[in-house]
Each structure stands twice: as C-alpha cells, then as structure tokens.
Amino acid sequence: MKPIASILLVILMLAIPAVMSQDAKHWISQAKSDYYNGSYSLALDDIDQYLTINQSDIWAWSFRANLLRKMERYQEAVESFDRIIALDSSNAEAYNDRALILSGAMNQDEEALASLEAALQIEPQNANIWYNRGMVLEKMERHDEALEAYGRAIDLNQGLDRAWFRQGHVLMLRGRYNESLASLEKAIELNPENAEAWNDKGMVLMTLERDDEAQECFQQAAHLDPTKKL
C-alpha cells in the first residue's frame, strides 16, 4: 500500500494541468474582453498572467506585441516580437512587423532593413514584405533600391495598388515623369480613392505642361481629401 502523502502528491500532480488549463482560458478570455473594451493596460496585465502559465504561446506574444504597439510602448513591442522569433525563427510575419515598428516608430531604419531581409530569406515571394522594404528604403532616400523593391512587389502582386503608387511617387522624385505617370495611373485604376495618387498625378501632369488635366486631378484629390489644396 502506498503512503497517503504519495497518493495525495499524485492527485495534485494530475490536477495541475486541468487547473492551469482553466486559468489559461480565463486569462485569454479576459485579455480579449479588456482589449475590445479599450482597456489596454488591463489587457496587457491579463496576457502577462497568461504568459506566466504558457511562455511558449506565439499567439499570445503576438497579441502582446501588437497591444504594446497600440499603447505606443514600442521598445517593449519589439522585445515581444523578439520572443516570437526566439520561439520560431521561421516566423516571417514577426520579422516584418518588428521592422515596421523599428522604422516607423523608432527611426531605426538599418535595423528595420535587417529584419526585413530576414523575413525575405524566409518568404522571398511575399509582395508585402518587398513593399515594406521599399518604404524603408524610400524613407532613407535610397531611391534606386526602393524602386527595385517596389518593382519586386508589383511583379509578385500586380494588384498591389500602394506599390504602384509608391513606385510612381519615387519615379516622380527622380524626374522620370512619363514612367511615374504610368505607375500613378495604374495605382488609381486599382484604387480610385487614393487622394495622394491623384495629387501626385496632377503634379506630374503640371511638370509635363498638361495643365488642364492636372487641374482635374487636383480637384479629384481635393474631393477625396479636403485637406488637399489646389
């Protein structure tokens, strides 16, 4: 016959997974509820409680990273993406989203590029990652490389209207007006609600001395976005 203490220990060990599972469900449910109610600090506390139970849950780390981004706690958000990458080094989305914060919120463009390069090593056919690479390079005024990245994005996804628009914008900056016009017209064809594309098209047409057409574009831009001035 086994000692009573040993029997109780076995019972407790068997009970722990069930208790933890119930706690985990509670904290996940609470985190989602608080998030949708706009209580981000509470949602962060909830997801942290859950992560003390299950530190290897990539979904939870992603939830935490994006919550911290919404709270503008950018360094902590990057650290959460780092945890995802440590758990799954093939997670291209984590590398990509990490880069967006590094460049867009923290102005760490070189590190953002390195993160995007890692993402492209995993998913070289991902048009969105190529587009994001183009955005960082454009921000750094590395225009030729940005055009190459936008071109790759378009090759992979002909319907990616924002890549056509950014390509057209950079071509305009480079003085390649006819090529710019073609790209901007494609962007507008795909997304006629893009006020910036209409405005850029107007600027290109003005440069090409097609003033009447340019004015029509500016009017359309102002209609879509009243902050645009003719």
Side-chain angles (χ1 to χ4, degrees), residues 167-168 171-186 201 204-205 207-210:
Q167 178 177 259
L171 286 166
M172 178 180 69
L173 295 177
R174 301 294 285 173
R176 295 161 60 178
Y177 299 116
N178 289 319
E179 293 172 82
S180 172
L181 184 60
S183 289
L184 292 169
E185 286 177 342
K186 182 64 176 180
K201 183 182 177 184
V204 171
L205 287 168
T207 303
L208 295 173
E209 298 183 354
R210 293 163 60 177

Side-chain angles (χ1 to χ4, degrees), residues 12-25:
L12 287 171
M13 290 298 290
L14 291 172
I16 286 172
V19 172
M20 287 183 67
S21 177
Q22 192 64 33
D23 284 347
K25 290 177 182 177

Side-chain angles (χ1 to χ4, degrees), residues 88-203:
D88 177 12
S89 61
S90 66
N91 194 314
E93 183 178 359
Y95 279 111
N96 177 77
D97 292 352
R98 177 180 182 273
L100 296 181
I101 296 175
L102 287 167
S103 178
M106 300 172 71
N107 291 316
Q108 296 181 21
D109 297 325
E110 290 290 353
E111 190 173 348
L113 275 182
S115 197
L116 290 168
E117 287 294 338
L120 287 169
Q121 288 293 318
I122 300 163
E123 294 187 11
Q125 304 302 309
N126 189 314
N128 288 317
I129 298 174
W130 278 107
Y131 169 79
N132 289 331
R133 186 173 190 272
M135 288 289 287
V136 176
L137 289 164
E138 181 183 341
K139 182 186 172 194
M140 298 171 74
E141 298 185 355
R142 291 163 59 175
H143 291 149
D144 290 340
E145 293 171 86
L147 286 173
E148 181 181 352
Y150 291 141
R152 290 293 297 274
I154 290 167
D155 288 343
L156 291 165
N157 182 0
Q158 291 286 316
L160 195 60
D161 64 277
R162 60 186 185 275
W164 285 104
F165 164 58
R166 296 315 310 180
Q167 178 177 259
H169 182 78
V170 175
L171 286 166
M172 178 180 69
L173 295 177
R174 301 294 285 173
R176 295 161 60 178
Y177 299 116
N178 289 319
E179 293 172 82
S180 172
L181 184 60
S183 289
L184 292 169
E185 286 177 342
K186 182 64 176 180
I188 290 168
E189 176 189 331
L190 292 167
N191 179 15
E193 303 301 309
N194 187 335
E196 289 182 292
W198 281 105
N199 192 68
D200 275 9
K201 183 182 177 184
M203 293 175 66

